Amino acid sequence: MVPYSNFLTNREIIRLVSIFVKKFEFNKVRLTGGEPFARKNIIELIEELTILKNEYQFELSVTTNGLLINGNFKNLKGHGLDRINFSLDSLNPKRYELITGKNQLHNVLDAIVDAENAGFSNIKINTVIIKNVNDDEIDDFIDYSNKTGRNIRFIEYMPFSNNGYDKVGFISSQELMTKISQYYELIPNNKNEESVAMDYRIKDSKALISFISPISDHFCGLCNRLRITAEGKLKLCLFSPNKTELELKDMLRNDYSDERIAESIIKALVEKDYAHPNIEELIKLKNNNIISVGG
Ligand code: SF4
């Protein structure tokens, strides 16, 4: 069990975010996990980030499985959270339980409705389709999007050191699009050029479907994302090797000034690769545990 002292405190997270929004003009901050609401003082963290947001305009969002929010959506909205995305890989209660170990699909679906009722809009549902696991639910997800108007984003299955990756399960976005196009007409619907997603609407329906292709058609050349792990490591890329990680927590706890930390980040950025390694190399990686790195 990782001692709690290994994790960044709220104050340390606020300081790091303030360096990125002040010195590097970052305009989006996303809290992810594992599960961000598993963090004890997450509501206080969102409150404090909102104070910073009033000074430096940035969008504050979370990606969650929706199970630990306990109806706090109005509160979160009131505290300044801008957006919520949900991770949901099955609409079948039995399969959901198989994938997550929890018989709580209905709680997630209710949480999505509660989030909308609390005023969160443009909610996206992130779904990883894996062959022979949930690829028979594509129609159900399209039907769900048609009934609710919520955007389903099919994200390609990626190897992480703790997800038991089996490349047999991989389906590329192109394969998925071809499969879907046999039954539905996909109409391009890209509104946000910065987005890594290819957005479509389904003809004669309310369904909004997107495809995110980090493996088959990576968008690394456009990548402007950096991740800070819960233990305060700066990851230049989801798949960056240990040696390029920056120990931000140690700098904070050794009284480095904001300027000195910013200089270290700039030096580290030259190490950011133009593209992630190929799938064979990715599968060999040992340090990209999705729970600590975050999607
Ligand atoms: S560089 Fe890394 S983080 Fe950025 S898009 Fe590529 S794989 Fe993702």
Side-chain angles (χ1 to χ4, degrees), residues 27-136:
N27 59 12
K28 285 187 178 167
V29 174
R30 174 178 294 283
L31 303 174
T32 68
E35 172 47 43
F37 288 92
R39 185 186 173 93
K40 271 193 291 201
N41 49 14
I42 180 84
I43 305 286
E44 292 80 2
L45 176 61
I46 290 170
E47 275 176 9
E48 290 168 54
L49 283 168
T50 302
I51 296 165
L52 192 63
K53 213 161 67 86
N54 298 335
E55 202 181 337
Y56 301 94
Q57 279 62 48
F58 59 89
E59 180 192 73
L60 179 60
S61 59
V62 293
T63 301
T64 175
N65 63 19
L67 294 176
L68 300 175
I69 303 179
N70 308 327
N72 250 323
F73 291 102
K74 276 212 165 56
N75 207 1
L76 291 168
K77 190 73 186 158
H79 287 319
L81 187 65
D82 298 302
R83 296 202 36 243
I84 291 187
N85 286 352
F86 289 83
S87 306
L88 181 61
D89 294 334
S90 180
L91 292 168
N92 169 321
K94 286 250 167 304
R95 183 167 295 144
Y96 180 88
E97 187 174 356
L98 210 60
I99 294 173
T100 63
K102 301 181 177 82
N103 177 13
Q104 293 190 320
L105 173 62
H106 55 286
N107 293 356
V108 182
L109 297 174
D110 291 349
I112 298 170
V113 174
D114 293 348
E116 261 176 12
N117 293 344
F120 287 101
S121 59
N122 194 12
I123 290 177
K124 300 181 188 304
I125 316 286
N126 293 340
T127 303
V128 177
I129 296 291
I130 304 176
K131 212 175 272 177
N132 307 326
V133 174
N134 60 352
D135 59 335
D136 58 351

Side-chain angles (χ1 to χ4, degrees), residues 219-220 223 227 237-239 272-273 276:
F219 29 80
C220 304
C223 181
R227 290 171 173 80
C237 160
L238 195 52
F239 300 114
K272 187 172 172 75
D273 287 330
H276 62 64

